[in-house]
Every structure is written in C-alpha cells, then in structure tokens.
Amino acid sequence: MKEYYILTAKDFYDGLKEDKILGLRCKECGQITCPPLPTCQWCGSKDLEKTELSGMGEILTFTLIDVSPEGFEPHYIICMVKLDEGPTIMGRLDYDAEKATVKNERSQELIGMKVKASHVVLPADVYSGGEKIVPLFKAL
Ligand SMILES: [Zn+2]
C-alpha cells in the first residue's frame, strides 16, 4: 500500500533542523508544494514525490513585530518568501528590526531582497508543547 503522506510535518521540521527546505514535486503538473500538504497545492494531485529545495528565494512582504505574543521577545521580522522553485513560505528574517521600521524610508528595500533559508529554534511558550523550529532567512 502506498504511503499517503509522502512528507509529514515532522519530516519537514527534521529537514529544517539541518537547514534543508523539503517540499513535494507533483508528478502531474511538475509544481512544488511547500510546506508539505497531502495534495499538490496547485492541481490537487496526490501523485507527489519528496524533493529538497534550494532554500533560495526573495522577500514578497514582511512585517515587524513590535508587540509580540506572550513568551516571545519583541522586535523581530516575519517575512513571506517566494522560493526559487515557486512556493511561498513564511519565516523569520535575520535583519536589524530597527532598520525595518516604517520610519525608515529604506525599509521597503527588503521587498525583493534575495535570501537563503536556515533555521532558528524558538523556546517553548505557554501555548505550545515545546520548542519551535522556524525558517530563518538571511540576506545573500
Ligand atoms: Zn500538481
């Protein structure tokens, strides 16, 4: 019997611990789905295979978190990155948050910036069962 989940969330985060961005290549349409889903995010096919992505991409948009949720340090940047292989994923941006405020007219230079993924481990907070691993994007 064919395994239904080709790439689980655990697989994705285990890969992230090694700075690998894992995704799914669709055998029907050829597009990449990331983060993992049971079906192709583009055509809905279940005919998928695991693939390692480059981790390279560019920032589509970002937001500066000045007032953080309980358990998180304030002044960090969340960004949406369009990966070179097509899908868009969210992560943190390794960048001086002070330079990214709206008061700094150059902050919009972050849009379109080329980045590469690594990862950061965040401590457990009151709402989660343990530490969290999230993509951390660094400027190239
Ligand atoms: Zn597809």
Side-chain angles (χ1 to χ4, degrees):
M1 184 177 153
K2 186 175 179 186
E3 186 178 334
Y4 184 67
Y5 290 99
I6 308 298
L7 179 66
T8 64
K10 181 182 184 317
D11 296 334
F12 179 78
Y13 289 109
D14 284 349
L16 198 53
K17 286 179 189 172
E18 299 174 9
D19 292 337
K20 294 177 183 172
I21 302 292
L22 300 177
L24 295 159
R25 180 181 311 281
C26 179
K27 294 180 185 175
E28 291 280 327
C29 74
Q31 300 271 31
I32 304 292
T33 293
C34 183
L37 295 170
T39 61
C40 173
Q41 72 183 73
W42 307 96
C43 76
S45 171
K46 292 181 182 174
D47 196 5
L48 306 166
E49 62 184 357
K50 185 162 64 172
T51 186
E52 183 179 337
L53 309 184
S54 66
M56 312 280 278
E58 70 175 53
I59 296 176
L60 288 179
T61 190
F62 69 94
T63 190
L64 174 64
I65 307 297
D66 267 334
V67 180
S68 61
E70 185 177 348
F72 289 87
E73 294 293 322
H75 309 301
Y76 59 91
I77 300 170
I78 300 291
C79 61
M80 296 293 294
V81 171
K82 182 173 176 52
L83 298 171
D84 285 355
E85 293 85 357
T88 299
I89 65 171
M90 188 166 62
R92 289 206 180 195
L93 182 63
D94 184 7
Y95 188 82
D96 182 354
E98 291 301 316
K99 291 182 181 172
T101 65
V102 292
K103 294 173 196 157
N104 182 343
E105 61 193 31
R106 296 183 62 192
S107 67
Q108 295 307 305
E109 290 179 2
L110 291 176
I111 306 290
M113 187 169 80
K114 301 288 186 193
V115 291
K116 178 158 178 53
S118 61
H119 77 280
V120 62
V121 178
L122 303 174
D125 59 53
V126 296
Y127 305 106
S128 63
E131 65 185 20
K132 292 183 194 144
I133 302 157
V134 299
L136 177 68
F137 292 96
K138 296 181 180 186
L140 290 176

